[in-house]
Amino acid sequence: MNPPTLPPPSPPPRVSSDLAPPALRRIADLPGPRGVPLLGNLWQIDRDRLHQQAEAWAHRYGEVYQMRLGARRFLVLSNPEAIAALLRDRPDGFKRTDRLSATARELGFHGLFSANGDHWRRQRPMVLAGLDPTHIKSFFPTLVTVTRRFARRWRRAVEQGESIDLQADLMRYTVDVTAGLAFGVDINTIESDDEVIQQHLDKVLPALHRRVMAPVRYWDWFKLPADRQLDRHLAALHEAVHGFINAAQARLDADPGLREQPRNLIEAMLAARGRDGQSVTDEDVSGNVLTMLLAGEDTTANTLAWMIWQLHQHPDAALQAAAEARAVCGDEGLVTQPEQLSRLDYVEACAHETMRLRPVAPVIIQQAVRDTVVAGIEVPAEALVMCLMRPGATSDTHFPEAERFRPERWLSPGAANVAASSAKRVAMPFGAGPRICPGRYLALAEMKMAMSMLLSSFRIESVQTPDGTDVRERLALTMSPVGLRMRLRTAGTFTV
Ligand code: HEM
């Protein structure tokens, strides 16, 4: 695994867009919702629905406005061009927030996602190499094995007449895939009835979200029952992480050749730690193991859940996707060769359309490293900028009939492909610039594998919300549909 080189040095300090008015404005002078002393706008916000409230205010106050959560003031930005420019101006112009980095460190998963500056620069090539398309191709047989198991799990649910807890099941799939690819271990939570690692992972992202958004760091002084529970989940996770690390270390000790040719991310990090104790520390290795689990699990599982929901709501698109999946998968009922993935264009278009309408990262918060200018607004060093990713992606300015689920818009042939690629620049579900999601190739491969298996081997009978009303969105760092349950029937020949 040869680490690719890092992106070129950061662009110039000024981040601007065509929107920028001639005279610079200050954040405090921008329009925004009226707050109250001390709390600012906190009293108007339900933390789980922060993104929807912020989007509603963008509708009212425009593409740049300000809000205050406790003592912290945010510049809120929803213009895609300005957001893309800001995200490209990293790591020198903008960084992940100090609050996020500190919280990730205290919870023990300070890895690539929360690192900044040189610490981030050192880690990024290793993670990129572990998740690049070549590496994913060599991992393909394992992806097939895990998908086959997943099909068996759902087939059992059909035989037993059970409905499926969609997110919980999808997370078993994504955790098994991530652990296989990044750590070289087969944890097989899909076929396990014991307590599985997801039950702990599930609690950590919401807790991180709570702490990142909390107006005061009360846990420095006292712990609530929720904090003590979090400690227990973290202890269980750290134990699992050390298991992965010890197993990888044992492989390196048994086969020293692996130090030169590591087969996965964890081996690459341990080999680097062995070569140069200064560049990769123990904390980096365990922080990144946990980061991979957290970053790879919820995001992909929630996007798949949203995709299943969208397809169930749009039977015409579901039929077309199923026809394509059946043509590609044949009697096998799932993809078994990497080449088949490139024939799932419509299924992939459904994924892009789902991520446009239901991005699992609808809010990306960044902090200025130095004084700069964003969309004509003066942004002093340390200021916080909240990027809203969905308003641009659901605006008729960029997408005709923007509110509609139309996967075809991602398939325009020939010259119109330009439209699809510029659409990707507006929607940005994986972020943008030097810190764009390194897991996007894996995520797309996983989503196409799981969806083509589902669509070719089963018929979706129902996907229901807990109370039968429209689906609710919940933000807990990633944005998920609340409580979906799915019922399946098997479809025709089934050999998996
Ligand atoms: C549909 C699935 C996924 C979505 C929508 C998604 C989205 C994102 C987004 C929006 C970011 C922030 C990018 C930015 O700041 O510009 C990110 C970063 C990241 N993602 Fe993903 N992600 C997905 C799957 C994955 C997977 C499968 C992995 C790994 C197994 C992964 C690992 C990471 C890591 C390590 C970062 C931090 C990168 C850095 O800061 O340099 N993601 N992802």
Side-chain angles (χ1 to χ4, degrees), residues 472-491:
R472 276 205 315 118
E473 297 182 347
R474 176 162 53 212
L475 186 71
L477 224 60
T478 64
M479 191 267 283
S480 60
V482 176
L484 295 183
R485 294 200 77 92
M486 174 172 76
R487 278 190 181 276
L488 296 177
R489 276 186 292 128
T490 44

Side-chain angles (χ1 to χ4, degrees), residues 410-430:
W410 299 95
L411 291 172
S412 19
N417 261 338
V418 177
S421 66
S422 68
K424 274 182 192 159
R425 280 199 293 277
V426 172
M428 298 181 281
F430 294 109

Side-chain angles (χ1 to χ4, degrees), residues 204-394:
V204 173
L205 279 188
L208 178 64
H209 181 60
R210 268 198 313 275
R211 288 198 174 180
V212 168
M213 299 316 298
V216 282
R217 293 176 47 94
Y218 69 85
W219 55 94
D220 285 344
W221 294 287
F222 59 89
K223 288 199 170 177
L224 298 173
D227 298 299
R228 284 193 288 275
Q229 215 178 12
L230 173 63
D231 287 343
R232 285 193 287 277
H233 290 298
L234 284 169
L237 278 178
H238 288 302
E239 201 182 310
V241 164
H242 284 115
F244 298 143
I245 294 175
N246 292 342
Q249 188 62 55
R251 293 197 298 272
L252 291 186
D253 292 344
D255 178 0
L258 285 179
R259 289 184 184 285
E260 300 310 315
Q261 297 274 311
R263 290 171 306 190
N264 49 48
L265 176 64
I266 197 167
E267 289 174 7
M269 294 204 91
L270 287 172
R273 183 187 63 174
R275 268 197 301 273
D276 175 359
Q278 295 307 304
S279 69
V280 177
T281 63
D282 285 355
E283 191 203 14
D284 292 338
V285 180
S286 60
N288 275 301
V289 170
L290 211 41
T291 295
M292 287 303 128
L293 285 172
L294 288 166
E297 185 218 30
D298 260 47
T299 47
T300 314
N302 287 336
T303 304
L304 273 167
W306 279 120
M307 196 166 160
I308 292 169
W309 169 260
Q310 293 285 15
L311 286 177
H312 189 59
Q313 298 293 304
H314 298 90
D316 290 349
L319 278 176
Q320 201 167 332
E324 181 185 80
R326 279 198 289 275
V328 171
C329 297
D331 287 348
E332 281 277 0
L334 82 169
V335 162
T336 54
Q337 301 299 323
E339 299 70 45
Q340 288 171 291
L341 287 182
S342 55
R343 289 166 43 211
L344 290 168
D345 290 342
Y346 194 81
V347 173
E348 180 168 333
C350 292
H352 290 303
E353 190 66 344
T354 299
M355 292 190 287
R356 183 180 72 81
L357 292 168
R358 305 285 191 173
V360 295
V363 174
I364 298 182
I365 300 178
Q366 298 291 305
Q367 188 165 10
V369 173
R370 59 189 171 205
D371 294 353
T372 184
V373 174
V374 174
I377 319 293
E378 280 178 357
V379 177
E382 303 304 322
L384 296 164
V385 184
M386 186 183 288
C387 303
L388 303 183
M389 308 307 282
R390 183 155 58 176
T394 49

